[in-house]
Amino acid sequence: PSAITSLAALTTGSMPLLASRSGAAAAFRDSVSGGDEGWMGLILYTLAFAVLTPIGLRGEPFPPAAGLAALCFGDGIGGAVGRRFGRHSFAIPGAKTKSVEGTVAVAISSAAAIAAVAAGLGRPVGLATCALLGVVAAAGEALSPRSSDNLFVPASVFAVALALT
C-alpha cells in the first residue's frame, strides 16, 4: 500500500510542474477536469484510488469497489451530462453550482455501476441498495465543496456500503 501511495504522490505532484511546461499535460488536465478544477480534483481522484484499493485488497472488496465505481462512472457521467444537457441548476452553500440533470445522472449511473461491480464480485446486493448508494453518490457530489467531489463521492459511498454489509 505504501508503494501505491508513493507512486500516486509522485505522479500527481509532478503533473502541475509538467503542465506549466507542457501544453499536452495542461490539455490532459483540462480534458479530465472540465477545465474548472485545476489539479486538486486529479490529486483527490488519485488519492481515493490509493486509499480504497488497498482496503479492497485486504478485506471485503465491495464497499471500496462501490465507492470507486461511483467516482469513475457516476461522477464522470454526471459531469458530462450536466455540461451537455444541464438546464436546471442549483447551488448548495459552500458547493459549486450543479445541474439537476447531472445530479440525476450521477445517481443513475452510480447505481448501475455499483450493481455491475456487485455482480462482478459475485456479491448479492439488491437493487434498492444499489439505488440508495447511487443517491448517496449524488448527494456526496452535490454537497462537496469545489474540487473535493473526487474525495467525498467515493468516501460517502464506501462508508454507507460498509455500514450496509
Side-chain angles (χ1 to χ4, degrees):
S2 62
I4 293 171
T5 305
S6 297
L7 180 59
L10 175 65
T11 303
T12 57
S14 63
M15 286 304 285
L17 179 63
L18 288 173
S20 66
R21 294 185 167 91
S22 165
F28 167 74
R29 175 201 58 213
D30 294 344
S31 74
V32 296
S33 70
D36 64 347
E37 291 186 353
W39 290 107
M40 187 52 64
L42 290 174
I43 291 168
L44 294 177
Y45 192 95
T46 304
L47 180 64
F49 270 88
V51 170
L52 291 177
T53 299
I55 292 171
L57 292 173
R58 289 187 171 177
E60 166 59 40
F62 176 71
L68 293 174
L71 173 62
C72 293
F73 294 98
D75 189 40
I77 291 171
V81 167
R83 280 190 292 279
R84 174 67 177 96
F85 300 106
R87 301 290 181 261
H88 305 90
S89 61
F90 66 95
I92 295 173
K96 69 181 188 178
T97 301
K98 305 288 182 178
S99 74
V100 172
E101 296 83 358
T103 300
V104 170
V106 170
I108 292 169
S109 55
S110 291
I114 291 166
V117 162
L121 292 171
R123 182 87 164 70
V125 176
L127 290 179
T129 299
C130 293
L132 172 64
L133 293 173
V135 169
V136 168
E141 199 267 341
L143 294 169
S144 298
R146 185 171 189 79
S147 302
S148 64
D149 59 333
N150 289 347
L151 186 60
F152 282 106
V153 169
S156 60
V157 171
F158 167 73
V160 173
L162 188 61
L164 293 176
T165 56

